[in-house]
Amino acid sequence: MKMKFWGVRGSIPCPGPNTVKYGGNTSCIELCFEDLKRHIVIDAGSGLRELGNDMMTRSTNGLELPVEIFVTHTHWDHIQGFPFFTPIYIPKTEIKIYGPATGEHETLMDAMTGQLSYRYFPVRESELSAKIEYTELKEGRYDLGDGLILTTKYLNHPLLCQGYRFTYQDKTICTAFDTEPFLNLFEMDPDDPSYDEAMVNEGQMAADDLNRGIAEFVAGADVLIYDGQYTEEEYLASKVGWGHTSIEQAVAEGRRNGVKHLVLYHHEPVRTDAELDQLTEKYSTSHAPDEPVISFAQEGMEIEV
């Protein structure tokens, strides 16, 4: 398997002179399989636009291969590239979009195509030329055919969000963004008049169990693409509960779970190239034989496993 990063930012596209090296487009990753004729994409952020254009240049007769897009969740920075994805305007192109439902009364299709209304965009969903199929995924294990296995895991984010673990020929690529460690929602000061020790203990057991589930999900991955939007200082100062992980927490998760290569992803939009270079120097310059290689994702970066 080989992956290429087409968008690495979180929250909002941030093009400009301070983001040239690492890139300013939002979430989009392409998976390539040398012996499989399949286009597999993780997330449809603004990076999807350039990926779609590149797909068209690879083809001699329109887009010959079907496209499979796995959306982690439907916050706008993960779907906003979809209306600008050239293959949706190509007749006979087949596109399958997978992801979690966003709520009880809104489907995955509702969230994706809601952008395609005259209120927001000049082209409606009914005017698209491609054949598009939507499949809602729950937490579980899926056989995608051709020996490719997908495992999904619910993450800790304000909107229902899934991690994806793709396994092919004993190699595994795993994603875990947008997420943060599960916390004890009932934790409180013992001196608080409403303190309930049994409730606090039960809350801690629940959080511990959920965090063990994430650890098992990412364990042993050849490549783990993990949320690293904040530093620990930023996270503790004002970002707890926002659904994102600190770089320090992500590094610790990779180290204790036998990950071979940890890629920090979903960069804070105000993080400059110079700041990311400093973080790269701090975390990526060396590693012990039993610790993961650590990289900070860049647009255009390719990793092969």
Side-chain angles (χ1 to χ4, degrees):
M1 286 188 287
K2 182 170 70 174
M3 69 188 71
K4 184 171 183 178
F5 293 86
W6 293 89
V8 303
R9 292 283 169 171
S11 304
I12 190 171
C14 52
N18 293 321
T19 59
V20 172
K21 181 176 180 179
Y22 290 86
N25 280 305
T26 62
S27 185
C28 183
I29 303 167
E30 178 187 18
L31 298 187
C32 303
F33 304 84
E34 186 175 327
D35 53 346
L36 298 183
K37 295 182 178 181
R38 298 172 74 165
H39 287 304
I40 292 183
V41 181
I42 303 170
D43 269 344
S46 63
L48 186 68
R49 184 183 72 88
E50 282 298 326
L51 171 55
N53 294 341
D54 188 75
M55 285 179 174
M56 299 307 299
T57 64
R58 299 178 213 166
S59 175
T60 57
N61 183 27
L63 193 64
E64 299 168 340
L65 302 179
V67 181
E68 300 163 78
I69 302 175
F70 291 83
V71 177
T72 59
H73 64 302
T74 58
H75 277 160
W76 199 37
D77 53 324
H78 295 259
I79 66 171
Q80 63 193 153
F82 182 64
F84 301 92
F85 186 47
T86 301
I88 66 177
Y89 300 101
I90 305 301
K92 299 183 180 180
T93 297
E94 296 183 3
I95 300 174
K96 295 182 178 180
I97 301 177
Y98 301 86
T102 58
E104 183 179 354
H105 302 294
E106 186 177 43
T107 66
L108 175 64
M109 179 178 176
D110 291 336
M112 294 296 294
T113 61
Q115 305 174 90
L116 295 164
S117 70
Y118 287 151
R119 182 181 293 108
Y120 306 116
F121 198 72
V123 179
R124 295 178 298 176
E125 189 273 338
S126 61
E127 298 171 320
L128 301 180
S129 299
K131 177 183 177 182
I132 304 175
E133 177 183 324
Y134 294 87
T135 301
E136 294 180 3
L137 299 177
K138 296 181 179 180
E139 191 173 271
R141 183 180 184 274
Y142 298 87
D143 186 342
L144 301 180
D146 299 318
L148 181 60
I149 300 298
L150 171 67
T151 304
T152 63
K153 185 70 176 176
Y154 291 139
L155 305 176
N156 187 16
H157 197 61
L159 181 69
L160 190 64
C161 180
Q162 284 179 334
Y164 293 121
R165 184 179 176 112
F166 293 90
T167 301
Y168 180 68
Q169 295 184 347
D170 298 322
K171 298 294 184 180
T172 296
I173 293 171
C174 188
T175 70
F177 57 84
D178 303 23
T179 193
E180 70 179 303
F182 289 93
L183 302 175
N184 183 354
L185 299 179
F186 301 105
E187 187 173 10
M188 64 179 67
D189 189 335
D191 294 329
D192 190 305
S194 61
Y195 179 78
D196 184 326
E197 182 177 5
M199 183 175 66
V200 171
N201 290 338
E202 186 173 339
Q204 189 59 54
M205 286 191 294
D208 291 344
D209 184 59
L210 290 166
N211 285 322
R212 277 193 297 271
I214 297 295
E216 293 170 0
F217 175 68
V218 306
D222 291 284
V223 179
L224 171 60
I225 307 165
Y226 207 93
D227 196 310
Q229 182 153 347
Y230 305 122
T231 65
E232 184 74 358
E233 182 180 4
E234 292 166 344
Y235 176 77
L236 293 176
S238 61
K239 310 300 184 184
V240 175
W242 286 34
H244 297 286
T245 304
S246 75
I247 294 165
E248 291 87 341
Q249 291 168 338
V251 169
E253 191 76 26
R255 284 174 174 166
R256 63 176 168 254
N257 291 300
V259 170
K260 297 178 179 65
H261 190 165
L262 173 67
V263 181
L264 293 158
Y265 190 72
H266 207 271
H267 305 318
E268 170 70 11
V270 300
R271 192 88 66 214
T272 66
D273 287 338
E275 290 169 334
L276 284 167
D277 278 342
Q278 291 175 351
L279 291 166
T280 297
E281 178 70 20
K282 181 176 181 180
Y283 290 104
S284 305
T285 52
S286 62
H287 67 285
D290 58 343
E291 291 189 348
V293 174
I294 299 173
S295 303
F296 286 78
Q298 298 182 39
E299 282 184 33
M301 184 171 78
E302 297 182 358
I303 299 174
E304 188 167 357
V305 295

